[in-house]
Amino acid sequence: MSQSHPTSFSADAVPQAPEDPLFGLMAAYRADNFDKKVDLGIGAYRDNDAKPWILPVVKKAEEILRKDPALNHEYLPIAGLATFTSAAAKLILGADSPAIAEKRTCSVQTISGTGAVHLGALFLAKFYPGQPKVYFSSPTWANHNQIFSNVSIPIATYPYFSKSTKGLDFAGMKKAISDAPDHSIILLHACAHNPTGVDPTREQWKELAVLLKQKSHFPFFDCAYQGFASGDLAKDAWAVRYFVEQGFELCIAQSFAKNFGLYGERAGCFHFVTGAGTDAQKTIGRIASQLAILQRSEISNPPAYGARIAGLILNDETLFKEWEEDLRTMAGRIITMRKALKAKLEEMGTPGTWNHITDQIGMFSFTGLSEKQVLELRNVAHVYMAKNGRISMAGLNTHNIDYFAKAVDKVVRETQG
């Protein structure tokens, strides 16, 4: 028997971390044997039979890659697959972007959107002048907090979701951004805000651009749902392109998990756009050099397979059109589920207003259900969703939407007042 030796990592030094709530939710769902259980927690697309969907165009691209005699498993360059990153930049910024034409952008392939946010945060922690805070929407994707905390950038929030209207608290958002110290970092969701599904209108985006410019704030766009939100790639990238046109220096974290269904392949990109000027190309060259050093120290080289699939589709006109059709299929099914859920709740006369279900966009909807109601739904109806009332619309389908709507109606009536 081995001798007993005390550890250097006691419970005081390394406390037990809380379980990630969404992964815990998934585990509870899997352990539930009830035949009508409903999973509305997962942040991944599901088809009408609640199955993962491999995009038909992705299957085609995989077949092309499989037959390519030149395919190998060598390292990619530190900055990633150039055919992928350049196409990714055109996708988010627009092929006719002034920033691309003036060669004041750089792009680095990352471990999906999470890796892109981290690389951007790390770069800003190391090189952004002063000691800026980063401002997130309240609420935001939970991982934003951890990523920026890990690189020691102080965190603050701006109001975003209005519990009374279940829409955007635009006045609160503007006031907090206006009150923030000049040169703060403002993290913005490019489209399909996670977790609320509430986006600013174009007029509101224009107001935000004016405000951020007045305050010399630095915009950090997180874009996880381009094309997936509305089915229209240009529409979903509008805010980013508008800010670039307005002359902002900014950065973008871009994910291809949702819009290509490449969740496990971790294909993403980080883009930096510097302001126009006579030395813009030198500036972006310096920035790119430092991003490469940061990437080298963290992952050395990004993974190839997902980038090859996405790059192939993005650079082939026929495959690109097929991908756009697949995007319309996914976005269209979710929009249909939104309309159906709203209609069923209104038909039953479920207490409250439900127009926010169709006003919101993208994979998620903030239902307005309380934590108490959410837990009741889980305990009684075997419906699994985040405690804050967020549901993944992709978890709804023609087989379970009646069951879910009736369960919501019942719990809302029973917990009124």
Side-chain angles (χ1 to χ4, degrees), residues 96-348:
D96 58 351
S97 171
I100 293 175
E102 293 157 18
K103 297 180 179 175
R104 50 187 177 88
T105 70
C106 68
S107 304
V108 179
Q109 185 187 329
T110 57
I111 308 291
S112 203
T114 305
V117 173
H118 172 68
L119 183 63
L122 194 61
F123 176 85
L124 293 172
K126 199 170 171 71
F127 296 107
Y128 196 68
Q131 294 181 308
K133 281 184 178 177
V134 61
Y135 283 75
F136 301 140
S137 61
S138 178
T140 192
W141 180 49
N143 225 5
H144 284 148
N145 294 286
Q146 290 186 171
I147 291 169
F148 280 85
S149 294
N150 284 350
V151 299
S152 301
I153 294 181
I155 289 167
T157 62
Y158 54 83
Y160 193 83
F161 184 74
S162 165
K163 286 186 177 176
S164 58
T165 67
K166 300 181 183 68
L168 181 64
D169 178 3
F170 191 53
M173 180 184 187
K174 284 197 298 181
K175 184 178 186 310
I177 291 172
S178 181
D179 290 346
D182 290 3
H183 303 284
S184 294
I185 301 161
I186 311 295
L187 193 138
L188 301 161
H189 298 230
C191 64
H193 182 273
N194 180 0
T196 69
V198 174
D199 286 353
T201 64
R202 289 191 178 182
E203 289 309 309
Q204 288 171 333
W205 277 120
K206 288 177 182 178
E207 281 191 56
L208 289 171
V210 170
L211 180 56
L212 265 71
K213 191 164 279 189
Q214 286 171 350
K215 297 288 294 180
S216 300
H217 290 327
F218 182 84
F220 190 134
F221 279 98
D222 191 356
C223 185
Y225 298 96
Q226 187 185 357
F228 188 99
S230 69
D232 183 325
L233 289 159
K235 184 178 179 182
D236 292 347
W238 186 88
V240 174
R241 295 177 186 181
Y242 180 77
F243 271 61
V244 171
E245 285 167 14
Q246 297 307 302
F248 280 92
E249 185 167 57
L250 53 80
C251 66
I252 307 151
Q254 183 184 29
S255 169
F256 291 91
K258 308 292 192 301
N259 56 13
F260 274 95
L262 293 172
Y263 303 99
E265 302 305 337
R266 315 311 291 140
C269 215
F270 176 75
H271 308 280
F272 200 102
V273 179
T274 193
T278 52
D279 59 348
Q281 288 185 30
K282 285 185 179 177
T283 301
I284 206 66
R286 287 186 284 103
I287 290 166
S289 73
Q290 293 293 349
L291 285 168
I293 286 175
L294 294 175
Q295 175 101 311
R296 176 76 172 108
S297 68
E298 296 237 322
I299 63 168
S300 282
N301 315 78
Y305 188 64
R308 284 187 173 133
I309 292 169
L312 189 60
I313 294 165
L314 291 172
N315 286 291
D316 183 285
E317 191 177 341
T318 303
L319 292 177
F320 189 90
K321 284 179 180 173
E322 288 184 36
W323 177 51
E324 288 184 301
E325 194 56 44
D326 290 346
L327 284 170
R328 284 190 284 271
T329 296
M330 291 191 289
R333 197 186 83 72
I334 285 176
I335 290 166
T336 299
M337 287 300 103
R338 285 186 181 278
K339 290 176 180 174
L341 178 59
K342 179 193 172 200
K344 288 177 190 302
L345 291 170
E346 290 181 343
E347 193 180 299
M348 288 186 288

